[in-house]
Amino acid sequence: MRTRPLKVALLGCGVVGSEVARIMTTHADDLTARIGAPVELAGVAVRRPSKVRAGIDPALVTTDATALVKRGDIDVVVEVIGGIEPARTLITTAFEHGASVVSANKALIAQDGAALHATAEQHGRDLYYEAAVAGAIPLIRPLRESLAGDKVNRVLGIVNGTTNFILDKMDSTGAGYQEALDEATALGYAEADPTADVEGFDAAAKAAILAGIAFHTRVRLDDVYREGMADVTAADFASAKRMGCTIKLLAICERAADGGSVTACVHPAMIPLSHPLASVREAYNAVFVEAEAAGQLMFYGPGAGGAPTASAVLGDLVAVCRNKLGEATGPGDSAYTQLPVSPMGEVVTRYHISLDVADKPGVLAQVATVFAEHGVSIDTVRQTGKDGEASLVVVTHRAPDAALSGTVEALRRLDTVRGVASIMRVEGE
């Protein structure tokens, strides 16, 4: 066993970074045995050096992250500061000065993963980022390594704990969206500004990463269609329950049936209670993978938090250190298929549409005609009404999103349609 330690620089020492440092210290002997050499925390870059950080030698703390990654004796840089800059520049600088990188930065990997992988390969270094998607759940490595000999056709998942907590509370207690969001905020699941979570930006970044790895193609954050969940109502949950469904904010990455393109999207969707994802409660994450040979696989666990995310970071750290000792690098970027990403209008799925209509003869016929004219087949219809007003709920068979959009626009022009109360996709049939 090598006695000279591998030196680690830690960029960021917040909730995740402090847990990484703690585990490196408390599990030092185990890490040494698993890696084949000791690992040493050689420096910690922070913005507020005066803050007391339990278990970390103040002499290791610096505000000069650039100088830390340029030192030349650093073997691995762990980046947990998040955001695009200065993280991107610091990671690139680390590669240029001989260090491999472990990151938890989903936004950066989703936006610039290809360029970062290219720089890592140019300098013979590793870039690992298991912690960027679904916290402690082993997901990226199984997709990138365990399923490397298989063909993945679909990845469907709950990848944001905040949104799952909110929707779960709406479903289980009948709470409205704002009430459930307020509870999530009070419990610390939602940030003071929850936009990144509830508008789907966080999940979209993760979907881009998952799609790129699963389908061996370039998928950037801008390629991912995104809808938030602020418009989901108690009435939507009532409709879902009548259909034997619940509602989840899903990241959906899919290979086209002809294999010629892929799609990646994030949006609320009704999902049957019989589907494994329907039972995912509270702030947990779960991802359902469909592969040709392996069949259906599900990965489940805590998707956020300091200790779970640090667990994923440390797993990558062990792998990268082992590679370093063996003078090798692990799997890099795989984008050999170069498949195009189809726009949302070409995505085929089922829809649940709730209409407010006049309660009089002929309305249902008019609505059905509009669906037929746009090539959208109706699966079921439910109508209730009184005092001249009615509610019409239509569930379609699978159809392209563009066809559904045209249908809705035509429905809005009917004199007998007072309004479109809600439109929601139905997944997991």
Side-chain angles (χ1 to χ4, degrees):
M1 178 179 290
R2 169 174 149 169
T3 57
R4 184 172 66 83
L6 293 161
K7 294 189 176 183
V8 178
L10 180 60
L11 307 183
C13 197
V15 173
V16 176
S18 60
E19 281 294 310
V20 170
R22 181 188 66 79
I23 294 172
M24 285 184 64
T25 301
T26 58
H27 294 183
D29 291 343
D30 287 337
L31 291 173
T32 297
R34 293 167 189 172
I35 292 169
V39 287
E40 173 188 307
L41 188 59
V44 182
V46 299
R47 286 185 297 178
R48 295 184 293 276
S50 60
K51 180 179 177 181
V52 176
R53 294 172 173 86
I56 296 178
D57 183 352
L60 297 178
V61 177
T62 178
T63 58
D64 194 342
T66 301
L68 179 59
V69 300
K70 281 184 174 181
R71 272 177 37 175
D73 64 334
I74 299 297
D75 295 291
V76 184
V77 169
V78 174
E79 182 271 310
V80 288
I81 57 178
I84 305 302
E85 288 292 357
R88 175 171 51 196
T89 298
L90 290 170
I91 289 174
T92 300
T93 303
F95 292 143
E96 293 169 347
H97 287 77
S100 290
V101 173
V102 173
S103 176
N105 195 331
K106 55 187 170 288
L108 179 59
I109 300 301
Q111 178 172 307
D112 292 318
L116 292 174
H117 270 294
T119 305
E121 183 177 357
Q122 177 187 349
H123 294 281
R125 305 301 165 195
D126 274 325
L127 173 62
Y128 277 48
Y129 42 88
E130 183 68 64
V133 180
I137 304 172
L139 183 57
I140 289 177
R141 192 167 297 140
L143 283 173
R144 191 161 64 172
E145 299 179 30
S146 303
L147 295 174
D150 206 340
K151 181 180 180 182
V152 176
N153 290 318
R154 198 165 194 244
V155 180
L156 174 76
I158 299 164
V159 294
N160 183 279
T162 300
T163 56
N164 198 59
F165 179 89
I166 293 169
L167 292 173
D168 181 45
K169 288 303 175 184
M170 292 177 70
D171 184 26
S172 61
T173 70
Y177 168 76
Q178 189 60 50
E179 182 183 354
L181 173 58
D182 290 344
E183 182 177 354
T185 303
L187 292 172
Y189 291 124
E191 301 287 346
D193 180 0
T195 302
D197 293 324
V198 300
E199 292 299 327
F201 291 101
D202 175 85
K206 296 170 182 176
I209 295 170
L210 292 175
I213 295 171
F215 308 134
H216 302 279
T217 197
R218 300 265 189 248
V219 181
R220 288 169 51 89
L221 180 57
D222 292 345
D223 295 323
V224 181
Y225 174 83
R226 176 193 55 78
E227 285 181 21
M229 51 173 278
D231 292 334
V232 177
T233 66
D236 291 325
F237 273 102
S239 291
K241 287 181 178 180
R242 283 192 289 269
M243 292 175 58
C245 294
T246 189
I247 299 172
K248 300 292 186 181
L249 185 76
L250 298 177
I252 305 166
C253 311
E254 193 166 17
R255 190 190 300 267
D258 63 4
S261 64
V262 300
T263 57
C265 54
V266 170
H267 54 69
M270 293 183 180
I271 190 167
L273 294 175
S274 58
H275 194 283
L277 291 178
S279 61
V280 178
R281 308 295 301 273
E282 299 286 329
Y284 277 76
N285 283 191
V287 177
F288 201 72
V289 177
E290 299 175 13
E292 283 196 357
Q296 297 179 333
L297 308 170
M298 182 164 158
F299 301 83
Y300 169 84
T309 305
S311 172
V313 170
L314 267 295
D316 279 351
L317 179 63
V318 169
V320 169
C321 286
R322 286 172 175 170
N323 292 342
K324 181 81 173 180
L325 291 179
E327 297 183 349
T329 55
D333 192 24
S334 175
Y336 70 90
T337 63
Q338 299 183 11
L339 296 174
V341 181
S342 297
M344 189 62 189
E346 297 177 14
V347 174
V348 176
T349 190
R350 299 174 67 207
Y351 298 88
H352 172 281
I353 305 160
S354 179
L355 305 171
D356 295 325
V357 299
D359 187 15
K360 62 183 184 181
V363 173
L364 180 56
Q366 287 183 331
V367 169
T369 297
V370 170
F371 277 88
E373 288 174 345
H374 288 82
V376 179
S377 176
I378 294 176
D379 182 13
T380 63
V381 178
R382 185 180 73 253
Q383 183 173 1
T384 58
K386 63 178 181 179
D387 299 328
E389 298 295 330
S391 175
L392 191 65
V393 175
V394 179
V395 179
T396 74
H397 288 291
R398 290 172 63 85
D401 190 88
L404 191 280
S405 297
T407 302
V408 171
E409 289 305 310
L411 289 171
R412 294 183 194 277
R413 293 193 293 269
L414 291 178
D415 292 339
T416 51
V417 174
R418 310 297 193 218
V420 179
S422 70
I423 305 171
M424 191 166 295
R425 295 169 181 86
V426 182
E427 294 287 344
E429 57 184 321

Coordinates of all heavy atoms in Angstrom, one line a residue, residues 282-369:
E282 N -43.0 11.9 0.3 CA -42.1 12.9 0.9 C -41.1 13.5 0.0 O -41.4 13.7 -1.2 CB -41.5 12.3 2.2 CG -42.5 11.8 3.3 CD -43.2 13.0 4.0 OE1 -42.5 14.0 4.2 OE2 -44.3 12.8 4.4
A283 N -39.9 13.7 0.5 CA -38.8 14.3 -0.4 C -37.9 13.3 -1.0 O -36.8 13.6 -1.4 CB -38.0 15.3 0.5
Y284 N -38.4 12.1 -1.2 CA -37.5 11.0 -1.8 C -37.5 11.2 -3.3 O -38.4 11.8 -3.9 CB -38.0 9.7 -1.4 CG -37.4 9.2 0.0 CD1 -38.0 9.8 1.1 CD2 -36.4 8.4 0.1 CE1 -37.5 9.4 2.4 CE2 -35.9 8.0 1.3 CZ -36.4 8.5 2.5 OH -35.9 8.2 3.7
N285 N -36.5 10.6 -3.9 CA -36.3 10.5 -5.4 C -36.4 9.1 -5.8 O -36.1 8.2 -5.0 CB -35.0 11.1 -5.8 CG -34.9 12.6 -5.8 OD1 -33.9 13.2 -6.3 ND2 -35.8 13.3 -5.2
A286 N -36.8 8.9 -7.1 CA -36.7 7.6 -7.7 C -36.7 7.7 -9.2 O -37.3 8.6 -9.7 CB -38.0 6.7 -7.3
V287 N -35.9 6.8 -9.8 CA -35.7 6.8 -11.2 C -36.0 5.4 -11.8 O -35.4 4.5 -11.3 CB -34.3 7.3 -11.6 CG1 -34.2 7.3 -13.1 CG2 -34.1 8.8 -11.1
F288 N -36.8 5.4 -12.8 CA -37.2 4.1 -13.4 C -36.5 4.1 -14.8 O -36.7 4.9 -15.6 CB -38.7 4.1 -13.6 CG -39.4 2.8 -13.8 CD1 -39.5 1.9 -12.7 CD2 -39.9 2.4 -15.0 CE1 -40.1 0.7 -12.9 CE2 -40.5 1.2 -15.2 CZ -40.6 0.3 -14.1
V289 N -35.7 3.0 -15.0 CA -35.0 2.8 -16.2 C -35.5 1.6 -17.0 O -35.7 0.6 -16.4 CB -33.5 2.7 -15.9 CG1 -32.7 2.4 -17.2 CG2 -32.9 3.9 -15.2
E290 N -35.7 1.8 -18.3 CA -36.1 0.7 -19.1 C -35.0 0.4 -20.2 O -34.7 1.3 -21.0 CB -37.4 1.0 -19.8 CG -38.6 1.3 -18.9 CD -39.8 1.7 -19.5 OE1 -39.9 1.6 -20.8 OE2 -40.8 2.2 -18.9
A291 N -34.4 -0.8 -20.1 CA -33.4 -1.2 -21.0 C -33.8 -2.5 -21.8 O -34.6 -3.3 -21.2 CB -32.0 -1.4 -20.3
E292 N -33.2 -2.7 -22.9 CA -33.6 -3.8 -23.8 C -33.3 -5.2 -23.1 O -34.2 -6.0 -23.0 CB -32.9 -3.8 -25.1 CG -33.6 -2.7 -26.1 CD -33.2 -2.9 -27.5 OE1 -32.4 -3.8 -27.8 OE2 -33.7 -2.2 -28.4
A293 N -32.1 -5.3 -22.6 CA -31.7 -6.6 -22.0 C -32.0 -6.7 -20.5 O -32.6 -7.7 -20.1 CB -30.2 -6.9 -22.3
A294 N -31.7 -5.6 -19.8 CA -32.0 -5.6 -18.4 C -33.4 -5.5 -18.0 O -33.8 -5.9 -16.9 CB -31.2 -4.5 -17.7
G295 N -34.2 -5.0 -18.9 CA -35.6 -4.8 -18.6 C -35.9 -3.5 -17.7 O -35.2 -2.5 -18.0
Q296 N -36.8 -3.6 -16.8 CA -37.1 -2.4 -16.0 C -36.4 -2.4 -14.6 O -36.4 -3.4 -13.9 CB -38.6 -2.4 -15.7 CG -39.5 -2.3 -17.0 CD -40.9 -2.4 -16.7 OE1 -41.4 -2.9 -15.7 NE2 -41.7 -1.7 -17.6
L297 N -35.7 -1.3 -14.4 CA -34.9 -1.2 -13.1 C -35.4 0.1 -12.4 O -35.8 1.1 -13.1 CB -33.4 -1.0 -13.4 CG -32.8 -2.1 -14.3 CD1 -31.4 -1.7 -14.7 CD2 -32.8 -3.4 -13.6
M298 N -35.4 0.1 -11.1 CA -35.8 1.3 -10.3 C -34.7 1.6 -9.3 O -34.3 0.7 -8.6 CB -37.2 1.1 -9.7 CG -37.6 2.3 -8.9 SD -39.4 2.3 -8.5 CE -39.5 3.4 -7.2
F299 N -34.4 2.9 -9.2 CA -33.4 3.3 -8.2 C -34.1 4.3 -7.3 O -34.7 5.3 -7.8 CB -32.2 4.0 -9.0 CG -31.5 3.2 -10.0 CD1 -32.0 3.0 -11.2 CD2 -30.3 2.5 -9.6 CE1 -31.3 2.2 -12.2 CE2 -29.7 1.7 -10.5 CZ -30.2 1.5 -11.8
Y300 N -34.0 4.1 -6.0 CA -34.8 4.9 -5.0 C -34.0 5.3 -3.8 O -33.1 4.5 -3.4 CB -36.0 4.0 -4.6 CG -36.7 4.5 -3.4 CD1 -37.8 5.4 -3.6 CD2 -36.5 4.1 -2.1 CE1 -38.5 5.9 -2.5 CE2 -37.2 4.5 -1.0 CZ -38.2 5.5 -1.2 OH -38.9 5.9 -0.2
G301 N -34.2 6.4 -3.3 CA -33.5 6.8 -2.1 C -33.6 8.3 -1.9 O -34.3 9.1 -2.6
P302 N -32.9 8.9 -0.8 CA -32.9 10.3 -0.6 C -32.1 11.0 -1.7 O -31.0 10.7 -2.0 CB -32.2 10.4 0.8 CG -31.4 9.2 0.9 CD -32.1 8.1 0.2
G303 N -32.8 12.0 -2.2 CA -32.2 12.7 -3.4 C -31.5 14.0 -3.1 O -31.0 14.7 -4.0
A304 N -31.4 14.4 -1.8 CA -30.7 15.6 -1.5 C -30.3 15.6 0.0 O -30.5 14.6 0.7 CB -31.7 16.8 -1.7
G305 N -29.7 16.7 0.5 CA -29.3 16.7 1.8 C -27.8 16.6 1.9 O -27.1 16.0 1.0
G306 N -27.2 17.1 3.0 CA -25.7 17.1 3.1 C -25.1 15.7 3.1 O -24.2 15.4 2.3
A307 N -25.5 14.8 4.0 CA -24.9 13.5 4.1 C -25.2 12.6 2.9 O -24.3 12.0 2.4 CB -25.4 12.8 5.4
P308 N -26.4 12.5 2.4 CA -26.7 11.7 1.2 C -25.8 12.2 0.0 O -25.2 11.3 -0.7 CB -28.2 11.9 0.9 CG -28.7 12.2 2.3 CD -27.7 13.0 2.9
T309 N -25.8 13.5 -0.2 CA -25.0 14.0 -1.4 C -23.5 13.7 -1.1 O -22.8 13.4 -2.1 CB -25.3 15.5 -1.6 OG1 -26.7 15.7 -1.7 CG2 -24.6 16.0 -2.8
A310 N -23.1 13.9 0.1 CA -21.7 13.7 0.4 C -21.3 12.2 0.2 O -20.2 11.9 -0.2 CB -21.3 14.1 1.8
S311 N -22.2 11.3 0.4 CA -22.0 9.9 0.2 C -21.7 9.7 -1.3 O -20.7 8.9 -1.6 CB -23.2 9.1 0.6 OG -23.1 7.7 0.2
A312 N -22.4 10.3 -2.2 CA -22.1 10.1 -3.6 C -20.8 10.8 -4.0 O -20.0 10.2 -4.8 CB -23.3 10.8 -4.4
V313 N -20.5 11.9 -3.4 CA -19.2 12.6 -3.6 C -18.1 11.7 -3.2 O -17.1 11.5 -4.0 CB -19.1 13.9 -2.9 CG1 -17.7 14.5 -3.0 CG2 -20.1 14.9 -3.5
L314 N -18.2 11.1 -2.0 CA -17.1 10.2 -1.5 C -16.9 8.9 -2.4 O -15.8 8.4 -2.6 CB -17.3 9.8 -0.1 CG -16.6 10.7 1.0 CD1 -15.1 10.6 0.9 CD2 -17.1 12.2 0.8
G315 N -18.1 8.4 -2.9 CA -18.0 7.3 -3.8 C -17.1 7.6 -5.0 O -16.3 6.8 -5.5
D316 N -17.4 8.8 -5.6 CA -16.6 9.2 -6.7 C -15.2 9.5 -6.4 O -14.2 9.2 -7.1 CB -17.2 10.5 -7.3 CG -18.4 10.3 -8.2 OD1 -18.7 9.1 -8.6 OD2 -19.1 11.3 -8.6
L317 N -14.9 10.0 -5.2 CA -13.6 10.3 -4.7 C -12.8 9.0 -4.7 O -11.6 9.0 -5.1 CB -13.6 11.0 -3.4 CG -12.2 11.3 -2.8 CD1 -11.5 12.3 -3.7 CD2 -12.4 11.9 -1.4
V318 N -13.4 8.0 -4.1 CA -12.7 6.7 -4.0 C -12.3 6.2 -5.4 O -11.2 5.7 -5.7 CB -13.5 5.6 -3.3 CG1 -13.0 4.2 -3.4 CG2 -13.7 6.0 -1.8
A319 N -13.3 6.2 -6.4 CA -13.1 5.8 -7.7 C -11.9 6.6 -8.4 O -11.1 6.0 -9.1 CB -14.4 5.9 -8.5
V320 N -12.0 7.9 -8.3 CA -11.0 8.7 -8.9 C -9.6 8.5 -8.3 O -8.6 8.4 -9.1 CB -11.4 10.2 -8.8 CG1 -10.2 11.1 -9.3 CG2 -12.6 10.5 -9.7
C321 N -9.5 8.3 -7.0 CA -8.2 8.0 -6.4 C -7.7 6.7 -6.8 O -6.5 6.6 -7.0 CB -8.4 8.1 -4.9 SG -8.6 9.8 -4.2
R322 N -8.5 5.7 -6.9 CA -8.1 4.4 -7.4 C -7.5 4.5 -8.8 O -6.5 3.9 -9.2 CB -9.2 3.4 -7.4 CG -9.6 2.9 -6.0 CD -10.9 2.1 -6.1 NE -11.2 1.5 -4.8 CZ -12.4 0.9 -4.6 NH1 -13.3 0.8 -5.6 NH2 -12.6 0.3 -3.4
N323 N -8.2 5.3 -9.7 CA -7.7 5.5 -11.0 C -6.3 6.2 -11.0 O -5.4 5.8 -11.8 CB -8.7 6.4 -11.8 CG -10.0 5.7 -12.1 OD1 -10.1 4.4 -12.0 ND2 -11.0 6.4 -12.5
K324 N -6.2 7.1 -10.1 CA -4.9 7.9 -10.0 C -3.8 6.9 -9.6 O -2.7 7.0 -10.2 CB -5.1 8.9 -8.9 CG -3.8 9.8 -8.7 CD -3.7 10.9 -9.7 CE -2.6 11.8 -9.4 NZ -2.5 12.9 -10.4
L325 N -4.0 6.0 -8.7 CA -3.0 5.1 -8.3 C -2.7 4.1 -9.4 O -1.5 3.7 -9.6 CB -3.5 4.3 -7.1 CG -3.6 5.1 -5.8 CD1 -4.0 4.1 -4.6 CD2 -2.2 5.7 -5.4
G326 N -3.7 3.8 -10.2 CA -3.4 2.9 -11.3 C -3.0 3.5 -12.6 O -2.9 2.9 -13.7
E327 N -2.8 4.8 -12.5 CA -2.4 5.6 -13.7 C -3.3 5.4 -14.9 O -2.9 5.2 -16.0 CB -0.9 5.3 -14.1 CG 0.1 5.6 -13.0 CD 1.5 5.4 -13.4 OE1 1.7 4.7 -14.5 OE2 2.4 5.8 -12.7
A328 N -4.6 5.5 -14.5 CA -5.6 5.3 -15.5 C -6.7 6.4 -15.3 O -6.7 7.1 -14.3 CB -6.2 3.9 -15.4
T329 N -7.7 6.4 -16.2 CA -8.9 7.3 -16.1 C -10.1 6.4 -16.3 O -10.1 5.4 -17.0 CB -8.9 8.4 -17.1 OG1 -8.7 7.9 -18.4 CG2 -7.7 9.4 -16.8
G330 N -11.2 6.8 -15.7 CA -12.4 6.1 -15.8 C -13.2 6.5 -17.1 O -12.6 7.2 -17.9
P331 N -14.4 6.0 -17.2 CA -15.2 6.3 -18.4 C -15.4 7.8 -18.6 O -15.7 8.6 -17.6 CB -16.6 5.7 -18.1 CG -16.3 4.6 -17.1 CD -15.2 5.2 -16.3
G332 N -15.2 8.3 -19.8 CA -15.4 9.7 -20.1 C -16.7 10.0 -20.7 O -17.7 9.2 -20.6
D333 N -16.8 11.0 -21.5 CA -18.0 11.4 -22.2 C -18.2 10.4 -23.4 O -17.3 10.0 -24.1 CB -17.8 12.8 -22.8 CG -19.1 13.3 -23.3 OD1 -20.2 12.9 -22.9 OD2 -19.1 14.3 -24.2
S334 N -19.5 9.9 -23.5 CA -19.8 9.0 -24.6 C -21.0 9.6 -25.4 O -22.1 9.7 -24.9 CB -20.2 7.6 -24.1 OG -20.7 6.8 -25.2
A335 N -20.7 10.2 -26.6 CA -21.7 10.8 -27.4 C -21.6 10.4 -28.9 O -21.8 11.1 -29.8 CB -21.6 12.3 -27.3
Y336 N -21.3 9.1 -29.0 CA -21.0 8.6 -30.4 C -22.3 8.5 -31.3 O -22.2 8.6 -32.5 CB -20.4 7.2 -30.3 CG -21.3 6.1 -29.8 CD1 -22.1 5.4 -30.7 CD2 -21.4 5.8 -28.5 CE1 -22.9 4.4 -30.3 CE2 -22.3 4.8 -28.0 CZ -23.0 4.1 -29.0 OH -23.9 3.1 -28.5
T337 N -23.5 8.4 -30.6 CA -24.7 8.3 -31.5 C -25.0 9.6 -32.2 O -25.6 9.6 -33.2 CB -25.9 7.8 -30.6 OG1 -26.2 8.8 -29.6 CG2 -25.6 6.5 -29.9
Q338 N -24.7 10.7 -31.5 CA -25.0 12.1 -32.1 C -26.5 12.2 -32.6 O -26.8 12.7 -33.6 CB -24.1 12.4 -33.3 CG -22.6 12.4 -32.8 CD -21.7 12.8 -34.0 OE1 -22.1 13.2 -35.1 NE2 -20.4 12.7 -33.7
L339 N -27.4 11.7 -31.7 CA -28.8 11.7 -32.1 C -29.4 13.1 -31.8 O -29.1 13.8 -30.9 CB -29.6 10.7 -31.2 CG -29.2 9.2 -31.4 CD1 -30.0 8.4 -30.4 CD2 -29.6 8.8 -32.8
P340 N -30.3 13.6 -32.7 CA -30.9 14.9 -32.5 C -31.9 14.8 -31.4 O -32.5 13.7 -31.1 CB -31.6 15.1 -33.8 CG -31.9 13.8 -34.4 CD -30.7 12.9 -34.0
V341 N -32.2 15.9 -30.7 CA -33.2 16.0 -29.7 C -34.4 16.5 -30.3 O -34.5 17.7 -30.8 CB -32.7 16.9 -28.5 CG1 -33.8 16.9 -27.4 CG2 -31.4 16.3 -27.9
S342 N -35.5 15.8 -30.3 CA -36.8 16.2 -30.9 C -37.4 17.3 -30.1 O -37.4 17.2 -28.9 CB -37.7 15.0 -31.1 OG -37.2 14.0 -31.9
P343 N -38.1 18.2 -30.8 CA -38.9 19.2 -30.0 C -40.1 18.6 -29.3 O -40.5 17.5 -29.7 CB -39.3 20.2 -31.1 CG -39.3 19.4 -32.4 CD -38.2 18.4 -32.2
M344 N -40.6 19.3 -28.3 CA -41.7 18.8 -27.6 C -43.0 18.5 -28.4 O -43.7 17.6 -28.2 CB -42.1 19.8 -26.5 CG -43.1 19.2 -25.5 SD -42.5 17.8 -24.6 CE -43.9 17.2 -23.8
G345 N -43.1 19.3 -29.5 CA -44.3 19.1 -30.4 C -44.4 17.7 -31.0 O -45.4 17.2 -31.4
E346 N -43.2 17.0 -31.0 CA -43.2 15.6 -31.6 C -43.3 14.5 -30.6 O -43.4 13.3 -30.9 CB -41.9 15.4 -32.4 CG -41.7 16.4 -33.6 CD -40.4 16.2 -34.3 OE1 -39.7 15.2 -34.1 OE2 -40.0 17.1 -35.1
V347 N -43.3 14.9 -29.3 CA -43.5 13.9 -28.2 C -44.9 13.4 -28.2 O -45.9 14.1 -28.2 CB -43.1 14.5 -26.9 CG1 -43.4 13.5 -25.7 CG2 -41.7 15.0 -26.9
V348 N -45.0 12.0 -28.2 CA -46.3 11.4 -28.2 C -46.6 10.9 -26.8 O -45.9 10.2 -26.1 CB -46.3 10.2 -29.2 CG1 -47.6 9.4 -29.1 CG2 -46.0 10.7 -30.6
T349 N -47.8 11.3 -26.3 CA -48.2 10.8 -25.0 C -49.8 10.9 -24.9 O -50.4 11.4 -25.8 CB -47.6 11.7 -23.9 OG1 -47.8 11.1 -22.6 CG2 -48.0 13.1 -23.9
R350 N -50.3 10.5 -23.7 CA -51.7 10.7 -23.5 C -52.0 12.0 -22.7 O -51.0 12.6 -22.1 CB -52.3 9.5 -22.6 CG -52.1 8.2 -23.2 CD -52.5 7.1 -22.2 NE -53.9 7.2 -21.9 CZ -54.5 6.7 -20.8 NH1 -53.7 6.3 -19.8 NH2 -55.8 6.8 -20.6
Y351 N -53.2 12.5 -22.8 CA -53.5 13.8 -22.1 C -54.8 13.7 -21.4 O -55.8 13.0 -21.7 CB -53.7 14.9 -23.2 CG -52.4 15.2 -23.9 CD1 -52.1 14.4 -25.1 CD2 -51.5 16.1 -23.4 CE1 -50.9 14.6 -25.7 CE2 -50.3 16.3 -24.1 CZ -50.0 15.6 -25.3 OH -48.8 15.8 -25.9
H352 N -54.9 14.4 -20.3 CA -56.1 14.6 -19.5 C -56.5 16.1 -19.6 O -55.7 17.0 -19.2 CB -55.8 14.2 -18.0 CG -57.0 14.5 -17.1 ND1 -57.2 15.8 -16.6 CD2 -57.9 13.7 -16.5 CE1 -58.2 15.8 -15.8 NE2 -58.7 14.5 -15.7
I353 N -57.7 16.3 -20.2 CA -58.1 17.7 -20.4 C -59.4 18.0 -19.7 O -60.4 17.2 -19.9 CB -58.2 18.0 -21.9 CG1 -56.9 17.6 -22.7 CG2 -58.6 19.4 -22.2 CD1 -57.1 17.4 -24.1
S354 N -59.5 19.0 -18.9 CA -60.7 19.4 -18.3 C -61.2 20.7 -18.9 O -60.5 21.7 -18.9 CB -60.4 19.6 -16.8 OG -61.6 19.9 -16.1
L355 N -62.5 20.7 -19.3 CA -63.1 21.8 -20.0 C -64.3 22.3 -19.2 O -65.1 21.5 -18.7 CB -63.5 21.5 -21.4 CG -62.5 20.9 -22.4 CD1 -63.2 20.4 -23.6 CD2 -61.4 21.9 -22.7
D356 N -64.5 23.6 -19.1 CA -65.8 24.2 -18.6 C -66.6 24.5 -19.9 O -66.2 25.3 -20.7 CB -65.5 25.4 -17.8 CG -64.7 25.2 -16.6 OD1 -64.9 24.1 -16.0 OD2 -63.9 26.0 -16.2
V357 N -67.8 23.9 -20.0 CA -68.6 24.0 -21.1 C -70.1 24.4 -20.8 O -70.5 24.2 -19.6 CB -68.6 22.7 -22.0 CG1 -67.2 22.4 -22.4 CG2 -69.2 21.6 -21.2
A358 N -70.8 24.8 -21.8 CA -72.2 25.0 -21.6 C -72.9 23.7 -21.5 O -72.6 22.7 -22.2 CB -72.8 25.8 -22.8
D359 N -73.9 23.6 -20.6 CA -74.6 22.4 -20.3 C -75.9 22.3 -21.2 O -77.0 22.7 -20.8 CB -75.0 22.2 -18.9 CG -75.6 20.9 -18.5 OD1 -75.5 20.0 -19.4 OD2 -76.2 20.8 -17.4
K360 N -75.6 21.9 -22.5 CA -76.8 21.9 -23.4 C -76.5 20.8 -24.5 O -75.3 20.4 -24.7 CB -77.0 23.2 -24.1 CG -75.9 23.8 -24.9 CD -76.2 25.1 -25.4 CE -75.1 25.7 -26.3 NZ -75.5 27.0 -26.9
P361 N -77.5 20.3 -25.2 CA -77.3 19.3 -26.2 C -76.3 19.7 -27.3 O -76.2 20.9 -27.7 CB -78.7 19.1 -26.7 CG -79.6 19.5 -25.7 CD -78.9 20.7 -25.0
G362 N -75.5 18.7 -27.8 CA -74.6 19.0 -28.9 C -73.2 19.4 -28.5 O -72.3 19.4 -29.4
V363 N -73.0 19.7 -27.2 CA -71.6 20.2 -26.8 C -70.6 19.1 -27.0 O -69.5 19.3 -27.5 CB -71.7 20.7 -25.4 CG1 -70.2 21.0 -24.9 CG2 -72.5 22.0 -25.3
L364 N -71.0 17.9 -26.5 CA -70.0 16.8 -26.6 C -69.7 16.5 -28.0 O -68.5 16.2 -28.3 CB -70.6 15.6 -25.9 CG -69.7 14.3 -25.8 CD1 -68.4 14.6 -25.2 CD2 -70.4 13.2 -25.1
A365 N -70.7 16.5 -28.9 CA -70.4 16.2 -30.3 C -69.5 17.3 -30.9 O -68.6 16.9 -31.7 CB -71.7 16.2 -31.1
Q366 N -69.7 18.5 -30.5 CA -68.8 19.6 -31.1 C -67.3 19.3 -30.6 O -66.4 19.4 -31.4 CB -69.2 21.0 -30.6 CG -70.5 21.5 -31.2 CD -70.8 22.9 -30.8 OE1 -70.5 23.3 -29.6 NE2 -71.4 23.7 -31.6
V367 N -67.2 19.0 -29.3 CA -65.8 18.8 -28.8 C -65.2 17.6 -29.4 O -64.0 17.6 -29.8 CB -65.9 18.6 -27.2 CG1 -64.6 18.1 -26.7 CG2 -66.3 19.9 -26.6
A368 N -65.9 16.5 -29.6 CA -65.4 15.3 -30.2 C -65.0 15.5 -31.6 O -64.0 15.0 -32.1 CB -66.5 14.2 -30.2
T369 N -65.7 16.4 -32.3 CA -65.4 16.7 -33.7 C -64.0 17.4 -33.8 O -63.2 17.2 -34.7 CB -66.5 17.6 -34.3 OG1 -67.7 16.9 -34.4 CG2 -66.1 18.0 -35.8

